[in-house]
Amino acid sequence: VGLQSVFEFVSALNHFPMNIHEYQAKELFSKFGVASPAGIVADTAEAAGEAARQLGGSGLVVKAQVHAG
């Protein structure tokens, strides 16, 4: 997907405001070919531990996501 398509996608979002979580935005980015860091949604401490094992590496970030504002 070219850069023009990305600009068209972002422009379309301005006409249809959304209240979405980051993981949902990353799914949209992926659909339109926009690179974003790997991530796994987890809803328990155990699931977060498993996600960390799957992702590997030495620098992981755990983020809570809530709609605010």
Side-chain angles (χ1 to χ4, degrees):
V1 174
L3 191 55
Q4 184 62 33
S5 296
V6 173
F7 287 132
E8 290 170 358
F9 170 69
V10 172
S11 178
L13 290 180
N14 289 330
H15 298 291
F16 304 98
M18 293 185 223
N19 192 11
I20 61 176
H21 291 290
E22 181 179 344
Y23 78 92
Q24 294 167 315
K26 288 175 73 171
E27 289 172 358
L28 287 172
F29 287 163
S30 176
K31 180 178 178 179
F32 285 89
V34 178
S36 63
I40 298 173
V41 177
D43 57 3
T44 66
E46 293 77 17
E50 178 57 31
R53 285 185 284 284
Q54 288 178 27
L55 291 169
S58 61
L60 300 175
V61 175
V62 175
K63 296 171 64 176
Q65 297 183 18
V66 298
H67 289 177

